[in-house]
Coordinates of all heavy atoms in Angstrom, one line a residue:
R24 N 160.2 -36.9 153.3 CA 160.7 -38.3 153.2 C 161.8 -38.6 154.1 O 162.0 -39.7 154.6 CB 161.2 -38.6 151.7 CG 160.1 -38.9 150.8 CD 160.6 -39.2 149.4 NE 161.8 -40.0 149.4 CZ 162.6 -40.1 148.4 NH1 162.4 -39.5 147.3 NH2 163.7 -40.8 148.4
D25 N 162.6 -37.5 154.4 CA 163.8 -37.7 155.2 C 163.6 -37.4 156.7 O 164.6 -37.2 157.3 CB 165.0 -36.9 154.6 CG 165.4 -37.4 153.2 OD1 165.3 -38.6 153.0 OD2 165.9 -36.6 152.4
A26 N 162.4 -37.2 157.1 CA 162.2 -36.8 158.5 C 162.8 -37.8 159.5 O 163.5 -37.4 160.4 CB 160.7 -36.6 158.8
P27 N 162.5 -39.1 159.4 CA 163.2 -40.0 160.3 C 164.7 -40.0 160.3 O 165.3 -40.1 161.3 CB 162.7 -41.4 159.9 CG 161.5 -41.2 159.0 CD 161.7 -39.8 158.4
A28 N 165.2 -39.9 159.0 CA 166.7 -39.8 158.9 C 167.3 -38.6 159.5 O 168.3 -38.7 160.1 CB 167.0 -39.9 157.4
K29 N 166.6 -37.5 159.3 CA 167.0 -36.2 160.0 C 167.1 -36.3 161.5 O 168.0 -35.9 162.1 CB 166.1 -35.1 159.6 CG 166.4 -34.5 158.2 CD 165.6 -33.3 157.9 CE 165.8 -32.8 156.6 NZ 165.0 -31.6 156.3
K30 N 166.0 -37.0 162.0 CA 165.9 -37.2 163.5 C 167.1 -38.0 164.0 O 167.7 -37.7 165.0 CB 164.6 -37.8 163.8 CG 164.3 -37.9 165.3 CD 163.1 -38.6 165.7 CE 161.9 -37.8 165.4 NZ 160.6 -38.4 165.8
L31 N 167.4 -39.1 163.3 CA 168.5 -40.0 163.7 C 169.8 -39.2 163.6 O 170.7 -39.4 164.5 CB 168.5 -41.2 162.7 CG 167.6 -42.4 163.1 CD1 167.7 -43.4 162.0 CD2 168.0 -43.0 164.4
T32 N 170.1 -38.5 162.5 CA 171.3 -37.8 162.3 C 171.5 -36.8 163.4 O 172.5 -36.6 164.0 CB 171.3 -37.1 160.9 OG1 171.1 -38.1 159.9 CG2 172.6 -36.4 160.6
L33 N 170.4 -36.0 163.7 CA 170.5 -34.9 164.7 C 170.8 -35.6 166.1 O 171.6 -35.0 166.9 CB 169.2 -34.1 164.7 CG 169.3 -32.8 165.5 CD1 170.4 -31.9 164.9 CD2 168.0 -32.1 165.4
R34 N 170.1 -36.7 166.3 CA 170.3 -37.3 167.7 C 171.8 -37.8 167.8 O 172.4 -37.7 168.8 CB 169.4 -38.6 167.8 CG 169.4 -39.2 169.2 CD 168.3 -40.2 169.3 NE 168.6 -41.3 168.5 CZ 167.9 -42.3 168.3 NH1 166.7 -42.3 168.9 NH2 168.2 -43.3 167.6
A35 N 172.4 -38.4 166.7 CA 173.8 -38.9 166.7 C 174.7 -37.7 166.9 O 175.7 -37.8 167.6 CB 174.1 -39.6 165.5
Y36 N 174.4 -36.6 166.2 CA 175.2 -35.4 166.3 C 175.2 -34.8 167.7 O 176.3 -34.5 168.3 CB 174.6 -34.3 165.4 CG 175.3 -33.0 165.4 CD1 176.6 -32.8 164.7 CD2 174.8 -31.9 166.1 CE1 177.2 -31.6 164.7 CE2 175.4 -30.7 166.1 CZ 176.6 -30.5 165.3 OH 177.3 -29.4 165.4
R37 N 174.1 -34.8 168.4 CA 174.0 -34.4 169.8 C 174.6 -35.3 170.7 O 175.2 -34.9 171.7 CB 172.5 -34.1 170.2 CG 172.0 -32.9 169.5 CD 170.6 -32.6 169.9 NE 170.1 -31.3 169.2 CZ 168.9 -31.1 169.0 NH1 168.0 -32.0 169.3 NH2 168.5 -30.0 168.4
R38 N 174.5 -36.6 170.5 CA 175.1 -37.6 171.4 C 176.6 -37.5 171.5 O 177.2 -37.6 172.5 CB 174.8 -39.1 170.8 CG 175.2 -40.1 171.7 CD 175.0 -41.5 171.1 NE 173.6 -41.7 170.6 CZ 173.3 -42.3 169.5 NH1 174.2 -42.9 168.8 NH2 172.0 -42.5 169.1
Y39 N 177.2 -37.1 170.4 CA 178.7 -36.9 170.4 C 179.0 -35.4 170.4 O 180.2 -35.1 170.1 CB 179.3 -37.6 169.1 CG 179.1 -39.1 169.2 CD1 178.1 -39.8 168.5 CD2 179.9 -39.8 170.0 CE1 177.9 -41.1 168.6 CE2 179.8 -41.2 170.1 CZ 178.8 -41.9 169.4 OH 178.7 -43.2 169.4
E40 N 178.2 -34.6 170.9 CA 178.4 -33.2 171.1 C 178.9 -32.4 170.0 O 179.7 -31.4 170.2 CB 179.4 -33.1 172.3 CG 178.8 -33.7 173.6 CD 179.8 -33.9 174.6 OE1 181.0 -33.5 174.5 OE2 179.5 -34.5 175.7
G41 N 178.6 -32.8 168.7 CA 179.0 -32.0 167.6 C 180.4 -32.1 167.2 O 180.9 -31.4 166.4
K42 N 181.1 -33.1 167.7 CA 182.6 -33.3 167.5 C 182.9 -33.8 166.2 O 184.0 -33.6 165.6 CB 183.2 -34.1 168.6 CG 183.2 -33.5 169.9 CD 183.9 -34.5 170.9 CE 183.8 -33.9 172.3 NZ 184.1 -35.0 173.3
Y43 N 182.0 -34.6 165.6 CA 182.4 -35.4 164.4 C 181.6 -34.9 163.2 O 180.5 -34.4 163.3 CB 182.1 -36.9 164.7 CG 182.8 -37.4 165.8 CD1 182.2 -37.7 167.1 CD2 184.2 -37.6 165.8 CE1 183.0 -38.2 168.1 CE2 184.9 -38.1 166.8 CZ 184.3 -38.4 168.0 OH 185.1 -38.8 169.1
G44 N 182.2 -35.2 162.0 CA 181.6 -34.8 160.8 C 180.8 -35.9 160.2 O 180.5 -36.9 160.8
Y45 N 180.4 -35.8 158.9 CA 179.5 -36.7 158.3 C 180.1 -38.1 158.2 O 179.3 -39.1 158.3 CB 179.0 -36.2 156.9 CG 180.1 -36.1 155.8 CD1 180.2 -37.1 154.9 CD2 180.9 -35.1 155.7 CE1 181.1 -37.2 153.9 CE2 181.8 -35.0 154.7 CZ 181.9 -36.1 153.8 OH 182.9 -36.1 152.8
R46 N 181.4 -38.2 158.0 CA 182.0 -39.6 157.8 C 181.8 -40.4 159.0 O 181.4 -41.6 159.0 CB 183.4 -39.5 157.3 CG 183.6 -38.8 156.0 CD 185.1 -38.8 155.6 NE 185.3 -38.1 154.5 CZ 185.8 -36.8 154.4 NH1 186.1 -36.2 155.5 NH2 186.0 -36.2 153.3
Q47 N 182.2 -39.8 160.2 CA 182.1 -40.5 161.5 C 180.7 -40.7 161.9 O 180.4 -41.7 162.4 CB 182.9 -39.7 162.5 CG 184.4 -39.8 162.5 CD 184.8 -41.2 162.8 OE1 185.4 -41.9 162.0 NE2 184.5 -41.7 164.0
L48 N 179.9 -39.7 161.6 CA 178.4 -39.9 162.0 C 177.8 -41.1 161.3 O 177.0 -41.8 161.9 CB 177.6 -38.6 161.7 CG 177.7 -37.5 162.8 CD1 176.7 -36.4 162.4 CD2 177.4 -38.0 164.1
Q49 N 178.2 -41.2 160.0 CA 177.7 -42.3 159.3 C 178.1 -43.7 160.0 O 177.2 -44.6 160.1 CB 178.2 -42.3 157.9 CG 177.7 -43.4 157.0 CD 178.7 -44.1 156.2 OE1 179.9 -43.8 156.2 NE2 178.3 -45.0 155.3
L50 N 179.3 -43.8 160.4 CA 179.8 -45.0 161.1 C 179.1 -45.2 162.4 O 178.7 -46.2 162.8 CB 181.3 -44.9 161.3 CG 182.1 -44.9 160.0 CD1 183.6 -44.7 160.3 CD2 181.9 -46.3 159.3
F51 N 178.9 -44.1 163.2 CA 178.2 -44.2 164.5 C 176.8 -44.6 164.3 O 176.2 -45.3 165.1 CB 178.3 -42.8 165.2 CG 179.7 -42.6 165.7 CD1 180.2 -41.3 165.7 CD2 180.5 -43.6 166.3 CE1 181.5 -41.0 166.1 CE2 181.7 -43.3 166.7 CZ 182.3 -42.0 166.6
L52 N 176.1 -44.1 163.2 CA 174.7 -44.4 163.0 C 174.6 -46.0 162.8 O 173.7 -46.6 163.2 CB 174.2 -43.7 161.7 CG 173.7 -42.3 162.0 CD1 173.4 -41.6 160.6 CD2 172.5 -42.2 162.9
Q53 N 175.6 -46.5 162.1 CA 175.6 -47.9 161.8 C 175.9 -48.7 163.1 O 175.3 -49.8 163.4 CB 176.6 -48.3 160.7 CG 176.5 -49.8 160.3 CD 177.5 -50.0 159.1 OE1 178.3 -49.2 158.8 NE2 177.3 -51.2 158.6
Q54 N 176.9 -48.3 163.8 CA 177.3 -49.0 165.1 C 176.2 -48.9 166.1 O 175.8 -49.9 166.7 CB 178.5 -48.3 165.7 CG 179.8 -48.8 165.0 CD 181.0 -48.1 165.6 OE1 180.9 -47.2 166.4 NE2 182.2 -48.5 165.3
D55 N 175.8 -47.7 166.4 CA 174.8 -47.5 167.6 C 173.4 -47.9 167.3 O 172.8 -48.5 168.1 CB 174.9 -46.0 168.1 CG 176.3 -45.6 168.5 OD1 177.1 -46.5 168.8 OD2 176.6 -44.4 168.5
D56 N 172.9 -47.4 166.2 CA 171.5 -47.6 165.8 C 171.2 -48.7 164.8 O 170.1 -49.1 164.6 CB 170.9 -46.3 165.2 CG 171.1 -45.2 166.2 OD1 170.8 -45.4 167.5 OD2 171.3 -44.0 165.8
G57 N 172.3 -49.2 164.2 CA 172.0 -50.3 163.3 C 171.4 -49.8 161.9 O 170.8 -50.5 161.2
V58 N 171.6 -48.5 161.7 CA 171.0 -47.9 160.5 C 172.1 -47.6 159.5 O 173.1 -46.9 159.7 CB 170.3 -46.6 160.8 CG1 169.8 -45.9 159.6 CG2 169.2 -46.9 161.8

């Protein structure tokens, strides 16, 4: 069920080179991908 969400999360993690944790990644997912 979570395959698309995992893909988005991993893409955001790699985009920011693994610098940020789950709180920041959540904000970046909303800002960048609108999710």
Side-chain angles (χ1 to χ4, degrees):
R24 280 181 39 196
D25 292 329
K29 279 184 181 179
K30 187 184 284 186
L31 280 172
T32 305
L33 194 57
R34 190 172 67 185
Y36 178 81
R37 288 185 180 149
R38 184 186 309 142
Y39 293 101
E40 300 165 0
K42 291 179 186 170
Y43 301 108
Y45 69 96
R46 295 180 187 103
Q47 280 296 119
L48 275 187
Q49 182 225 5
L50 295 173
F51 290 139
L52 282 170
Q53 187 177 9
Q54 280 179 351
D55 301 342
D56 301 322
V58 175

